Amino acid sequence: MATQTSEAQDSQSIISIRGLTKVYKGGHEALKGIDLEIREGEILALLGPNGAGKTTLISSICGLVTPTAGSVTVGGHDIIRDYRATRSLIGLVPQELTLGAFDIVRDTVRFSRGLFGLAPDEDKLDGLLSDLSLLDKKTAMVSRLSGGMKRRVLIAKALAHEPRILFLDEPTAGVDVELRKDMWKLVEKLRQDGVTIILTTHYIEEAEEIADRVGVISDGRLLVIDDKASLMNSLGRKQLSVELKTGIDVLPESLKPFDLELSADGQRLTYTYETRSERTGITALLQAVSDAGLGLKDLNTHQSSLEEIFVNLVHSEDGKVKP
């Protein structure tokens, strides 16, 4: 069952999702009763394998897909009854490069702003294009841009009407490192301006670096969602690596209760323990190693990464981290 921190359920939520279900023709159930609160001003990363339901979830919130059951409110507005109000609050950067080949960069961004009834503001548009390193390309045709530059134009289009919420669906997939760095600089700037950002990504290290909270989706279900630090602390594991001065061939009987892993060269003992445990057993282990007459050369610890937690979750049938 997905977990939510108490803060996520307070009045500061800008998106509220209850029992969201989507069944496509043919019977495929892409979303299975999603419950989720998204806080105003946060960066939320949604992780999941291909086909997990991430894009369907985003498309449902943005009004591109009609849910089969459940409800979604954005800024207090229902996405079905008040679709005009909700869409004006949202900017979406899709995975696909959906741009007209003969469009002029400045014109297509200006047009997106006009669609939402906003008055022309060339200074704002130039500032946006500058933030995305597009200012010198503003009179260029989209067809003459690289894939990375086209991705920047999509972002500019999504931000042209100054939305309070920005969805980034796999925004850095297939783009160069420079654009990826520019993207996260812009994301941080938007967050400072109070914009709520929801992104899906396969680059787990990016989610680990910039997200406030992380949600894991698999097979249409939200397996877990929590503050990044809390998630890693509660679901993560640590490993203590004990380097020995002299290698051993077999593990002494007195050390077998600790469920240690002996390296192939006999030089290292690896001890795995839960970070949330009150007693890790490390003190008892080190004493037992000393009593067995084994000399210590060095000690090192390793904390589970977000990627390890993610892989463990999506491969677990019950949505719980395997021991």
Side-chain angles (χ1 to χ4, degrees):
M1 180 181 294
T3 59
Q4 295 248 19
T5 56
S6 59
E7 292 85 357
Q9 298 171 335
D10 63 20
S11 59
Q12 294 183 353
S13 295
I14 194 168
I15 298 176
S16 181
I17 301 169
R18 291 285 182 269
L20 192 65
T21 299
K22 176 60 183 179
V23 181
Y24 287 103
K25 290 181 179 180
H28 174 60
E29 194 173 9
L31 298 176
K32 302 174 181 178
I34 298 287
D35 291 320
L36 177 61
E37 298 285 337
I38 300 177
R39 307 167 185 163
E40 187 167 12
E42 76 170 327
I43 299 177
L44 173 65
L46 295 174
L47 306 178
N50 289 333
K54 303 187 301 298
T55 297
T56 299
L57 175 59
I58 287 179
S59 298
S60 297
I61 299 171
C62 294
L64 301 178
V65 168
T66 303
T68 304
S71 65
V72 180
T73 60
V74 178
H77 303 283
D78 183 87
I79 60 167
I80 304 297
R81 295 191 303 270
D82 307 320
Y83 68 92
R84 291 184 185 276
T86 59
R87 291 182 188 181
S88 69
L89 295 173
I90 292 173
L92 170 64
V93 181
Q95 292 186 42
E96 298 80 11
L97 293 174
T98 52
L99 293 167
F102 301 106
D103 289 347
I104 302 299
V105 170
R106 179 179 53 195
D107 293 344
T108 191
V109 176
R110 185 191 291 126
F111 179 72
S112 291
R113 180 178 175 86
L115 281 177
F116 290 89
L118 297 182
D121 191 326
E122 296 304 313
D123 288 340
K124 280 189 178 294
L125 290 184
D126 282 351
L128 178 58
L129 294 175
S130 178
D131 286 341
L132 289 163
S133 300
L134 283 171
L135 194 56
D136 63 338
K137 304 288 186 182
K138 67 180 183 179
T139 59
M141 281 197 302
V142 170
S143 60
R144 296 180 179 177
L145 300 180
S146 66
M149 286 294 176
K150 290 176 182 176
R151 180 72 63 182
R152 294 171 195 254
V153 175
L154 280 179
I155 298 168
K157 283 169 60 68
L159 292 173
H161 65 287
E162 303 171 48
R164 290 173 56 195
I165 304 161
L166 179 65
F167 284 93
L168 301 169
D169 196 6
E170 299 287 354
T172 60
V175 303
D176 55 57
V177 174
E178 182 181 358
L179 172 57
R180 199 171 297 163
K181 290 180 179 179
D182 286 348
M183 170 83 70
W184 302 137
K185 288 179 183 177
L186 178 62
V187 164
E188 181 57 35
K189 181 178 183 296
L190 290 170
R191 191 248 287 275
Q192 292 174 3
D193 292 337
V195 177
T196 302
I197 299 163
I198 301 96
L199 66 97
T200 69
T201 180
H202 285 300
Y203 296 99
I204 298 177
E205 68 277 8
E206 292 179 342
E208 189 167 1
E209 180 177 349
I210 71 167
D212 300 309
R213 288 196 300 157
V214 175
V216 178
I217 298 178
S218 182
D219 192 29
R221 293 185 174 90
L222 186 62
L223 300 185
V224 65
I225 181 165
D226 207 344
D227 292 342
K228 178 178 61 182
S230 298
L231 180 66
M232 295 184 70
N233 183 59
S234 63
L235 298 182
R237 296 182 297 170
K238 274 191 174 181
Q239 288 185 329
L240 174 68
S241 178
V242 180
E243 298 286 343
L244 303 175
K245 289 182 178 180
T246 304
I248 58 176
D249 296 324
V250 295
L251 198 66
E253 287 293 328
S254 60
L255 296 181
K256 288 184 178 179
F258 293 95
D259 195 23
L260 298 168
E261 180 182 341
L262 178 64
S263 63
D265 61 6
Q267 296 286 151
R268 184 177 65 257
L269 302 174
T270 301
Y271 175 60
T272 302
Y273 59 97
E274 299 293 333
T275 58
R276 61 181 179 269
S277 299
E278 292 184 6
R279 295 185 177 182
T280 62
I282 291 176
T283 301
L285 169 64
L286 296 180
Q287 183 62 53
V289 169
S290 178
D291 292 343
L294 303 179
L296 299 181
K297 181 179 180 181
D298 198 7
L299 296 174
N300 292 287
T301 59
H302 167 71
Q303 169 76 48
S304 296
S305 67
L306 186 58
E307 181 170 13
E308 291 167 330
I309 294 172
F310 166 73
V311 170
N312 205 351
L313 276 169
V314 298
H315 285 87
S316 175
E317 293 182 359
D318 58 5
K320 297 178 180 179
V321 174
K322 298 177 182 178

